[in-house]
Amino acid sequence: MWLLSVLLPLLRLYLCGVKVLIYQMFNKSFTLPGRMEGWPLWGGTRGMGYETARHLASLGMHVIIAGNEKEEGAAAVRRIKEEGCERKAEFVYIDLTSLKSVRNFAQAFKQRRLPLHVLVNNAGTMMVPERNTEDGFEFHFELNYLGHFLLTNLLLDTLKRSGRGGCCSRIINMSSATHYAGVIHMDDLNRRICYSSHGAYSQSKLALVLFTYYLQEQMMAGGFLVIANAVDPGMVDTALYDNLWSLAQAMKKPVAKILFRTPAEGASISVYAAAASEMEGVGGCYLYNGEKMQSSPPSYDSELQAELWKKSCELVGL
């Protein structure tokens, strides 16, 4: 039982990784189209988050970088401003592993009465040893999924009001190919029975896709000018892999130099979903390499989507 619970998620996840690397070996990374328009809220002080914020700010957008590293956030804002952007960039603190912090951030943002045209849920971690957040949730589950779930719902009214004149507000959730290996354990979302960092990570990424599709259905049913999409950046050379085992780290370094994408290349798909004119009004998609792709079969299970949504609302107190 223990062996299957730990070994099977590991094999599934690494198999996904191999498939992605083979794809990237024979396919060029997605390149952005011409000038795009929008006005985003973005979370990211480094890696793909920073690259997305930098690119969107270069289009003349007001960028709010939300994260839990104050010094990194200040440095990111400074670098963006040094590039001579037309509008401002700023950093606001948020800790997605704390529901209290998420609520404080949302309340402070709404008090400013700013419009919110794009929300990119980018923050994430991978392969963290078993640990709980201050709220008592498994670390991957709250940071990668539950914190984003709460933040999105708290800002949903602002997103609805901001969508007007035929232009939809946009929600972009950062998933990955590892969601194909994900299994949702509704009776054990925190992985208490038998912990696997591989299983916990892939579950959190599948949860994001399920959340995206259910949210899109709600927005369509209500006639709101809000769209939600999930994006997959491919395998990108970022600090996300810092928690790999020593042997895996050693094997990853030479492979990453050849086959992994740069943070800027990985960020392209988020920028595309956030600002491309051809994505106007197009929601409920799983985007990879600039194309709409089929996500995993479980991600289209409407009953599972609804069950996860209801349970998530209970967990965060909505």
Side-chain angles (χ1 to χ4, degrees):
M1 175 65 179
W2 178 88
L3 189 62
L4 284 176
S5 298
V6 174
L7 186 59
L8 196 56
L10 184 152
L11 293 175
R12 283 175 175 166
L13 190 143
Y14 280 102
L15 179 59
C16 286
V18 170
K19 289 180 178 178
V20 173
L21 286 179
I22 292 173
Y23 177 89
Q24 293 184 183
M25 186 184 302
F26 297 103
N27 293 271
K28 292 182 179 180
S29 62
F30 171 64
T31 54
L32 289 167
R35 183 170 179 81
M36 298 175 290
E37 299 178 353
W39 190 308
L41 169 71
W42 174 260
T45 58
R46 56 180 173 172
M48 286 188 293
Y50 169 73
E51 291 295 337
T52 303
R54 183 184 66 81
H55 193 105
L56 294 177
S58 73
L59 298 176
M61 303 179 185
H62 176 178
V63 177
I64 297 178
I65 300 176
N68 64 345
E69 297 289 344
K70 294 182 179 179
E71 291 185 4
E72 284 188 357
V77 168
R78 185 169 59 252
R79 292 197 303 272
I80 289 172
K81 288 184 176 179
E82 287 172 354
E83 294 186 10
C85 297
E86 299 172 18
R87 293 182 181 174
K88 63 180 180 179
E90 59 181 296
F91 172 80
V92 180
Y93 179 85
I94 184 174
D95 180 1
L96 285 165
T97 65
S98 165
L99 299 182
K100 179 181 179 180
S101 178
V102 173
R103 291 183 183 278
N104 288 341
F105 173 90
Q107 182 179 10
F109 179 82
K110 288 188 287 188
Q111 286 175 347
R112 296 174 65 181
R113 301 189 181 281
L114 293 172
L116 177 57
H117 295 114
V118 179
L119 172 65
V120 185
N121 291 316
N122 171 79
T125 191
M126 182 172 73
M127 310 303 187
V128 175
E130 186 172 12
R131 58 187 287 198
N132 292 332
T133 65
E134 67 176 48
D135 300 306
F137 298 113
E138 190 276 323
F139 201 81
H140 294 91
F141 184 66
E142 183 164 5
L143 176 56
N144 294 357
Y145 166 67
L146 204 58
H148 289 133
F149 175 86
L150 176 59
L151 178 64
T152 302
N153 275 281
L154 293 177
L155 296 178
L156 206 49
D157 285 343
T158 305
L159 285 158
K160 291 174 183 176
R161 288 195 300 270
S162 301
R164 62 181 62 180
C167 294
C168 295
S169 297
R170 306 186 187 190
I171 300 166
I172 294 93
N173 292 323
M174 180 66 71
S175 185
S176 84
T178 56
H179 92 274
Y180 290 101
V183 178
I184 299 290
H185 293 284
M186 289 302 305
D187 58 342
D188 187 27
L189 290 170
N190 288 297
R191 298 275 169 162
R192 305 283 193 230
I193 297 174
C194 189
Y195 185 77
S196 161
S197 60
H198 300 82
Y201 176 68
S202 56
Q203 175 186 253
S204 69
K205 292 300 181 180
L206 174 56
L208 279 171
V209 183
L210 289 160
F211 164 47
T212 302
Y213 293 163
Y214 191 80
L215 177 60
Q216 176 63 29
E217 287 295 322
Q218 284 192 318
M219 296 301 98
M220 286 183 61
F224 301 111
L225 293 178
V226 180
I227 60 171
N229 287 302
V231 299
D232 177 354
M235 294 191 75
V236 183
D237 194 10
T238 68
L240 196 64
Y241 294 89
D242 289 352
N243 293 312
L244 291 176
W245 300 338
S246 299
L247 179 59
Q249 281 275 17
M251 295 173 64
K252 173 252 178 186
K253 289 181 180 179
V255 175
K257 290 181 180 180
I258 302 171
L259 297 179
F260 279 34
R261 291 175 176 171
T262 66
E265 290 172 336
S268 294
I269 192 62
S270 294
V271 176
Y272 176 72
S277 59
E278 55 263 43
M279 290 303 297
E280 178 57 49
V282 180
C285 298
Y286 183 81
L287 301 173
Y288 174 59
N289 219 35
E291 298 179 358
K292 300 172 189 175
M293 307 288 286
Q294 289 289 310
S295 53
S296 68
S299 68
Y300 296 104
D301 185 335
S302 58
E303 291 185 3
L304 182 59
Q305 293 168 12
E307 188 178 4
L308 179 63
W309 180 281
K310 181 180 179 181
K311 183 65 175 179
S312 299
C313 286
E314 293 175 359
L315 293 174
V316 300
L318 288 176

